[in-house]
Amino acid sequence: MPDLLLELFSEEIPARMQARAADDLRRLVADKLVAEGLVYEGIKAFATPRRLALTVHGIPARQPDLKDERKGPRVGAPDAAVQGFLKATGLASLDEATIQKDPKKGEFYVALIERPGRAAIDVIADILPVIIRTFPWPKSMRWGARSAKAGALQWVRPLHAITATFGPETETPDVVPFSVDGIDSGQITYGHRFMAPGAIEVRHFADYEAKLEAAKVVLDAERRRDIILADARQLAFAQGYELIEDQALLEEVAGLVEWPVVLMGSFDPAFLSIPGEVIRATIRHNQKCFVMRDPATGALAPKFVLVANIEASDGGAAIVAGNERVIRARLSDAKFFYDTDLKTKLEDRLPKFSQIVFHEKLGTQAERIDRIERLAVELAPLVGADVEKTRRAARLAKADLLTEVVGEFPELQGVMGRYYALAQGEDAAVAQACEDHYKPQGPTDRVPTDPVAIAVALADKIDTLVGFWAIDEKPTGSKDPYALRRAALGVIRLIINNDLQLKLRHITAEALNLLGESKPDLVDEARQRWQTLYGGDQSIASALEGAFAAVFVKDFLSFFADRLKVQLREQGARHDLVDAVFALGNRDAEGTPVQENVQDDLLLIVRRVEALGNFLDSDDGKNLLAGVKRAINILRIEEKKDGTTFDGAPDATRYTLPEEKQLAAAIAQAKQDAGAAVAQEDFTAAMSAMAKLRPAVDAFFDKVKVNDDDPAIRANRLRLLNEIRTATRTVADFSKIQD
Amino acid sequence: MRPERSFQGLILALQRYWADHGCVILQPYDMEVGAGTFHPATTLRALGPKPWNAAYVQPSRRPKDGRYGENPNRLQHYYQFQVILKPSPPDIQELYLASLAAIGIDAHLHDIRFVEDDWESPTLGAWGLGWECWCDGMEVSQFTYFQQVAGLECAPVAGELTYGLERLAMYVQGVENVYDLNFNGRDGDEKVTYGDVFLQAEQEYSRHNFEHADTAMLFEQFTMAEKACRSYLDAGWDGAHKERHLMALPAYDQCITASHVFNLLDARGVISVTERQSYILRVRELAKACGEAWVKTAAGGAGA
């Protein structure tokens, strides 16, 4: 069966767009071929700086013939219906239709439409120009004389040639004939821009790939990456160093060359007095070069690896010398920035923050730093951090944003704060907090463990969250411009990884309070919005001064609860167990819901889910779950039947059977023991206490008929079942657990 | 006058090369501009249907980049060599590479690369796609296909090449400090360096730009230029239907002035972050109005 080869040859395609473009080309052609009934055997796409290429293997030479039967109107139908039928089916007259009989509908017309399949090459010649004209580049442009006309072709950069051949591997293929905005398809492409710029005639894919290789073009990006990585490692190794690998940089440089030539250069070791992160950022960002380290010490080596696009006539000496010169100039700049930064103490930079707006509504950075400092100080004792160190760290943590180095390389925020803090003699914990208070940034980022860093990191994130909550900039759907989900996840990971027991409700209220002190108007505005949303009666809402905070905090904590659920599920916890624990809401030791119905101690929730999971893995757990579910089901059915609920304590005098009495006694005991264990946050013990219910529950269902003929006894027994439900809620809402 | 021997040799080589390829060789525009793009030969000539090929050196002023002559790479006054080719010819990349060969950069010895760099000028209401051109890791030129200028679609699209002359000269001469560039190509006592020509100016203008430029006067100049631009544009319309404009160039000069005055005010640090945006917008509005007027002139293609 024939193969298709397609190449779109253009001026340099931005590196970051290449992989996506190859993928899009593959997807678009695949979808169209399949939609046209051309089911192929294999397809692969490639990208280099100057070309997108595609090979489709095993395409049928023709489309299958299409047979279609279309039912029309009944015989003798009004003319309008007949005309409509003819028009829709393309028949010239009713003579071309056949007549079929149906026992219900009688006789009606049927059109048999037969469309013979077209030659695949013709279909492809129709498909490709459309795909090229509508190709989804993130940014595309017009060029040349044709750009004066409306409807000119747009491409990522000027498109110069299109190769499109079609035919079996063993034969000379045909050119798929089409034209896009003056560019005719053909089978001529070009090699490496400098080393083999001549025209190359290509036939099928194997021929194409081999001829490109001979013309100094490695078509496959993955191969270019492999070459670069292997050669770079080898060059580093030969010098006794170890390459610092960088996947994103590797992908970028592989998109900047068609023929990777890896070379090594050096820089003056005197520059190593600059922090390694700064050197790496300088060399990586400005020059797209790799750096390496001494494997023994981990220290950066005064070497770099560059990836050229050419085998130079002097073996690369001039290229290395040129890159060394540029890197020297860049590192001189970096050193100048770093030395300049060291001349100003971090605290002396702070006044400038009062002129820098953090967010139009949330005020200046200075106001924000004040809030973070105050909140961090509140948090310090709760996380075991030294209050004065925490205060100092929160004060200085953002100051590096105003340094030259961070201005040049924003991703070094925090890291530079630590260097500058240490350089001016700050306590090690304070310096570390300058770096770590941004962490964790994502699900795989390191979580700070030092209490000072934890306090500042929590304060930073909670202030951000509460602030944007207050101005109603909550994340919606896929929109989360202020990365609030990430901040919430950061709080969750800080708490759980460090085994912190924090009352988020209290902390949120405190953060809101601080925001209210610095931005009273804003909080007033938010208060009004919430009153409209949730508060109802203005007079009641204003009478209850705490109502706003309560509603706000509740809404806010629900968001946290959702993030925690996501996090627990991602860690592999059963989602039904998570739901079973969340459904509890906050309860006191007696199992009675307390006023605000969202739990706020994340660590307790996590521990409860863990204990519940372990319990349900045991026989006691499984059987108790079965019993409780049975009770819940009976209750649901009977409550529905009677249109009432059977809550309230059962009447002990109405127990007629020993199993009832035993169950009542077991429930009372389990409630008491489990309640006490929960009060001490010992969820494993709570589960064990609950497990003791199992024999009594089993015996009850074995011997006792719930729906007694005496309605009073029946009601009392249902109340007893309800007691099972209530008692188990001390540990979880069993109705949410799946079998 | 070999291009690798002297700064002026480099300029002359580029001029000769582009003259040989059919460009009109212009002299610098006689006003203070931030970049070669501001020259009406680029900004205005990029608009409208008429073909236009030109090349010129443009002294460019970026008041904020002054370093009192102490930084080996940064200058508040430097030269750009600007080429504009409308419509962009199909072999424009090859033309550019051959121009590098003409100034002594051998593409078989050096690593020349086109690295994505999309260009946008908020003050000119202009954008385009293209690259920074790298030679052995150093950016030596910018290469842009103009898509829009002064808020108007470019039809046809012009290709713009901008060579950073000092940087390029440092590269071909192999010097580390801009002030060490050989300007005239002579040796010994006859040698004149870039520092001999410009170091004092860099020191003086840095003082001026950062410390002494009269901000009250500059604020007034900005307002005056803005007002004059508007009034020349209003007065330039020929007839009530705005089909012809007779004074687009003088009006555009005022737009250039406003832009430069804004840059000076910015360097003096007297424009706050929020105000900054509004000044940029004001200049852009002038540029747009000038562009609209330009396309109603003969050179802009009106009546063509």
Side-chain angles (χ1 to χ4, degrees):
Chain A
M1 283 203 288
D3 302 338
L4 169 69
L5 166 66
L6 173 69
E7 187 206 58
L8 302 162
F9 181 78
S10 69
E11 296 177 13
E12 278 75 359
I13 305 167
R16 66 189 171 94
M17 298 178 188
Q18 290 167 19
R20 172 73 187 277
D23 223 44
D24 284 339
L25 182 64
R26 183 187 48 72
R27 179 177 50 81
L28 291 169
V29 173
D31 288 355
K32 277 284 184 191
L33 287 176
V34 172
E36 292 288 345
L38 295 172
V39 179
Y40 55 84
E41 285 167 10
I43 186 165
K44 195 165 182 200
F46 304 88
T48 80
R50 296 174 81 201
R51 59 200 94 218
L52 287 184
L54 180 79
T55 170
V56 190
H57 174 63
I59 304 175
R62 299 193 71 82
Q63 284 178 314
D65 296 340
L66 271 182
K67 276 188 188 168
D68 197 9
E69 238 186 49
R70 294 243 203 116
K71 278 184 187 170
R74 66 188 158 71
V75 173
D79 190 52
V82 171
Q83 290 307 322
F85 170 62
L86 292 178
K87 197 174 170 198
T89 55
L91 300 185
S93 74
L94 282 178
D95 298 341
E96 291 176 16
T98 57
I99 293 172
Q100 285 187 12
K101 276 188 188 173
D102 184 290
K104 283 182 198 160
K105 291 182 186 165
E107 289 186 329
F108 58 94
Y109 293 106
V110 170
L112 279 174
I113 306 169
E114 286 191 30
R115 198 159 60 100
R118 297 167 66 207
I121 191 168
D122 296 336
V123 177
I124 294 169
D126 287 347
I127 290 174
L128 294 181
V130 177
I131 290 175
I132 293 168
R133 282 200 166 273
T134 57
F135 199 80
W137 291 108
K139 269 185 185 172
S140 58
M141 54 164 277
R142 299 167 296 119
W143 66 94
R146 283 181 173 263
S147 60
K149 299 195 186 97
L153 174 64
Q154 303 224 4
W155 200 248
V156 63
R157 292 293 183 276
L159 180 66
H160 283 281
I162 300 171
T163 291
T165 67
F166 185 78
E169 214 175 326
T170 48
E171 294 168 26
T172 302
D174 297 316
V175 170
V176 182
F178 64 93
S179 173
V180 182
D181 209 29
I183 306 167
D184 293 329
S185 61
Q187 53 192 128
I188 302 294
T189 185
Y190 303 87
H192 187 276
R193 183 184 277 289
F194 302 108
M195 289 192 283
I200 305 166
E201 184 173 329
V202 296
R203 305 192 309 159
H204 42 71
F205 179 71
D207 176 54
Y208 168 75
E209 196 179 24
K211 281 179 176 161
L212 279 188
E213 185 93 16
K216 306 288 183 188
V217 175
V218 179
L219 181 64
D220 190 346
E222 200 179 323
R223 252 198 77 215
R224 295 197 301 273
R225 284 200 294 273
D226 289 348
I227 293 170
I228 294 168
L229 191 58
D231 290 0
R233 279 178 181 158
Q234 183 55 40
L235 279 178
F237 180 75
Q239 300 277 329
Y241 296 124
E242 180 182 77
L243 184 75
I244 299 181
E245 294 186 14
D246 185 330
Q247 188 60 28
L249 179 62
L250 179 63
E251 279 175 26
E252 186 179 6
V253 294
L256 288 170
V257 294
E258 291 204 307
W259 190 255
V261 176
V262 182
L263 299 167
M264 177 138 80
S266 312
F267 56 85
D268 186 342
F271 285 123
L272 293 173
S273 64
I274 314 171
E277 290 91 339
V278 179
I279 294 178
R280 187 176 167 192
T282 303
I283 290 180
R284 177 190 202 285
H285 282 269
N286 296 322
Q287 298 311 125
K288 307 193 197 296
C289 293
F290 296 88
V291 287
M292 56 197 69
R293 65 166 85 85
D294 183 335
T297 63
L300 214 57
K303 299 275 178 191
F304 63 91
V305 163
L306 72 100
V307 183
N309 188 36
I310 192 165
E311 287 170 3
S313 49
D314 67 347
I319 296 173
V320 169
N323 275 276
E324 285 178 343
R325 266 161 41 102
V326 183
I327 281 179
R328 193 179 320 134
R330 295 286 191 181
L331 289 178
S332 298
D333 278 354
K335 183 164 167 45
F336 176 77
F337 290 149
Y338 180 63
D339 291 343
T340 307
D341 285 346
L342 287 174
K343 287 180 193 152
T344 308
K345 289 201 149 200
L346 289 171
E347 55 266 42
D348 294 340
R349 299 183 183 276
L350 295 174
K352 219 179 165 189
F353 278 127
S354 52
Q355 286 150 39
I356 296 173
V357 176
F358 166 68
H359 180 280
E360 196 193 335
K361 289 186 181 163
L362 296 172
T364 63
Q365 279 280 28
E367 290 172 296
R368 185 167 129 77
I369 291 167
D370 278 340
R371 291 197 300 267
I372 293 172
E373 182 184 327
R374 293 172 65 185
L375 189 59
V377 164
E378 295 275 328
L379 284 164
L382 305 177
V383 302
D386 180 276
V387 170
E388 285 318 308
K389 285 181 189 171
T390 304
R391 189 192 308 280
R392 181 77 180 156
R395 185 109 291 254
L396 299 182
K398 302 285 182 197
D400 69 345
L401 292 177
L402 296 175
T403 61
E404 302 273 345
V405 170
V406 176
E408 200 75 7
F409 303 112
E411 77 273 21
L412 293 184
Q413 65 176 20
V415 174
M416 297 318 296
R418 174 167 56 82
Y419 279 108
Y420 297 138
L422 287 173
Q424 67 181 47
E426 299 294 335
D427 181 271
V430 171
Q432 194 61 44
C434 287
E435 174 171 359
D436 282 359
H437 82 283
Y438 290 108
K439 293 181 180 292
Q441 291 274 8
T444 56
D445 195 17
R446 180 169 61 83
V447 178
T449 51
D450 183 87
V452 174
I454 293 169
V456 184
L458 284 172
D460 183 26
K461 291 171 180 62
I462 291 171
D463 176 72
T464 303
L465 285 159
V466 168
F468 285 104
W469 229 253
I471 60 170
D472 211 22
E473 288 276 3
K474 299 186 255 183
T476 53
S478 60
K479 289 208 185 78
D480 186 8
Y482 302 105
L484 299 184
R485 290 194 182 106
R486 193 175 75 185
L489 179 63
V491 172
I492 289 169
R493 291 188 65 212
L494 278 162
I495 288 175
I496 293 173
N497 287 30
N498 289 301
D499 277 340
L500 298 175
Q501 274 197 265
L502 292 175
K503 296 287 176 197
L504 266 183
R505 183 184 322 283
H506 167 73
I507 295 165
T508 311
E510 184 58 36
L512 185 64
N513 200 21
L514 290 170
L515 185 65
E517 282 179 28
S518 89
K519 295 267 148 205
D521 295 352
L522 185 154
V523 174
D524 272 349
E525 204 179 288
R527 180 179 287 125
Q528 281 168 21
R529 197 170 56 240
W530 254 283
Q531 277 173 2
T532 324
L533 268 179
Y534 305 102
D537 188 340
Q538 292 279 329
S539 59
I540 293 175
S542 53
L544 297 166
E545 190 41 46
F548 161 64
V551 171
F552 176 91
V553 170
K554 184 179 162 189
D555 183 63
F556 185 69
L557 291 180
S558 309
F559 174 69
F560 260 96
D562 288 343
R563 300 324 303 160
L564 180 61
K565 274 192 217 172
V566 172
Q567 166 78 358
L568 288 173
R569 276 176 212 162
E570 278 172 7
Q571 286 177 352
R574 275 170 55 181
H575 70 90
D576 57 331
L577 302 192
V578 177
D579 286 341
V581 169
F582 269 97
L584 287 180
N586 253 11
R587 278 157 202 271
D588 61 19
E590 297 291 304
T592 315
V594 295
Q595 193 195 346
E596 304 93 347
N597 200 25
V598 181
Q599 302 184 80
D600 71 335
D601 188 325
L602 303 180
L603 190 64
L604 288 190
I605 296 172
V606 172
R607 286 192 186 151
R608 214 182 263 241
V609 170
E610 279 169 8
L612 185 59
N614 291 336
F615 176 55
L616 291 175
D617 284 342
S618 70
D619 278 347
D620 276 351
K622 282 181 195 129
N623 285 312
L624 180 66
L625 174 63
V628 173
K629 289 206 126 180
R630 189 166 164 194
I632 289 167
N633 281 336
I634 294 171
L635 271 169
R636 195 176 55 229
I637 293 163
E638 301 306 317
E639 284 181 343
K640 198 176 167 192
K641 206 185 282 170
D642 289 20
T644 178
T645 53
F646 294 100
D647 42 14
D651 181 352
T653 62
R654 288 191 186 274
Y655 296 143
T656 56
L657 297 170
E659 285 79 9
E660 287 180 276
K661 288 174 194 156
Q662 282 155 16
L663 178 59
I667 289 172
Q669 190 65 43
K671 247 175 149 174
Q672 194 189 338
D673 294 350
V678 167
Q680 292 184 10
E681 292 159 9
D682 184 347
F683 298 110
T684 307
M687 296 296 166
S688 307
M690 214 38 77
K692 297 208 178 90
L693 262 182
R694 178 194 159 191
V697 171
D698 288 352
F700 177 86
F701 281 122
D702 201 27
K703 300 280 191 228
V704 181
K705 182 185 168 204
V706 177
N707 284 322
D708 195 88
D709 297 335
D710 179 344
I713 291 179
R714 170 178 170 264
N716 204 50
R717 287 180 178 164
L718 286 167
R719 282 197 192 94
L720 189 55
L721 287 187
N722 186 52
E723 284 291 288
I724 298 178
R725 180 165 68 179
T726 315
T728 53
R729 277 196 183 145
T730 316
V731 293
D733 182 343
F734 278 51
S735 70
K736 304 277 184 195
I737 301 173
Q738 290 164 10
D739 300 315
Chain B
M1 279 297 107
R2 295 207 341 257
E4 60 273 32
R5 289 275 304 140
S6 69
F7 189 59
Q8 63 205 39
L10 176 74
I11 293 173
L12 292 170
L14 282 173
Q15 286 188 338
R16 170 159 300 277
Y17 174 85
W18 287 106
D20 286 346
H21 286 86
C23 283
V24 170
I25 303 298
L26 294 169
Q27 299 307 315
Y29 202 54
D30 58 342
M31 292 187 68
E32 296 139 313
V33 295
T37 310
F38 273 85
H39 195 310
T42 292
T43 310
L44 296 179
R45 294 271 181 178
L47 293 171
K50 292 193 166 182
W52 174 250
N53 299 309
Y56 53 90
V57 176
Q58 182 60 52
S60 305
R61 304 221 191 192
R62 301 214 170 148
K64 252 187 165 172
D65 283 353
R67 292 292 183 272
Y68 295 85
E70 287 164 12
N71 184 298
N73 298 303
R74 288 222 196 185
L75 304 163
Q76 57 84 42
H77 171 284
Y78 63 101
Y79 286 128
Q80 287 188 341
F81 191 87
Q82 175 88 0
V83 181
I84 174 138
L85 305 170
K86 182 175 92 170
S88 64
D91 59 345
I92 183 169
Q93 279 188 309
E94 283 69 33
L95 288 172
Y96 167 71
L97 291 169
S99 78
L100 292 186
I103 54 172
I105 296 181
D106 176 359
H108 294 277
L109 191 59
H110 296 283
D111 183 30
I112 298 169
R113 229 84 72 70
F114 293 89
V115 181
E116 177 192 15
D117 187 30
D118 299 342
W119 173 81
E120 191 183 358
S121 166
T123 41
L124 283 178
W127 69 275
L129 300 190
W131 308 275
E132 16 177 90
C133 305
W134 284 23
C135 177
D136 300 338
M138 185 175 68
E139 184 192 343
V140 290
S141 313
Q142 284 190 351
F143 192 137
T144 307
Y145 290 100
F146 282 155
Q147 302 292 302
Q148 215 180 60
V149 171
L152 298 168
E153 290 284 304
C154 296
V157 162
E160 181 206 48
L161 303 169
T162 303
Y163 304 75
L165 285 175
E166 284 81 356
R167 223 188 251 196
L168 205 49
M170 285 166 73
Y171 196 75
V172 295
Q173 288 189 28
V175 302
E176 303 277 329
N177 189 323
V178 65
Y179 299 108
D180 294 339
L181 280 175
N182 187 331
F183 208 107
N184 63 348
R186 297 302 180 103
D187 294 318
D189 289 350
E190 291 189 337
K191 175 175 161 182
V192 177
T193 66
Y194 194 90
D196 294 334
V197 182
F198 284 121
L199 180 58
Q200 182 184 329
E202 282 299 312
Q203 293 161 344
E204 293 190 3
Y205 277 103
S206 294
R207 264 171 236 133
H208 165 266
N209 299 344
F210 293 122
E211 301 165 44
H212 298 286
D214 184 337
T215 56
M217 176 193 75
L218 290 169
F219 276 120
E220 202 177 329
Q221 275 184 358
F222 185 92
T223 317
M224 287 166 70
E226 187 182 36
K227 212 174 127 197
C229 181
R230 295 266 176 222
S231 78
Y232 301 163
L233 283 172
D234 285 345
W237 288 112
D238 183 28
H241 300 293
K242 295 201 168 184
E243 276 156 12
R244 274 294 188 160
H245 201 280
L246 304 176
M247 245 184 344
L249 287 163
Y252 179 66
D253 284 352
Q254 297 303 318
C255 172
I256 292 177
T257 300
S259 174
H260 177 63
V261 168
F262 160 72
N263 287 340
L264 282 170
L265 285 165
D266 197 27
R268 287 282 275 123
V270 291
I271 293 180
S272 74
V273 181
T274 29
E275 284 173 320
R276 201 167 179 277
Q277 199 50 36
S278 97
Y279 274 95
I280 289 172
L281 265 170
R282 282 162 75 180
V283 178
R284 174 155 71 213
E285 288 311 312
L286 297 182
K288 279 185 169 181
C290 291
E292 280 159 21
W294 169 259
V295 295
K296 299 296 179 189
T297 67

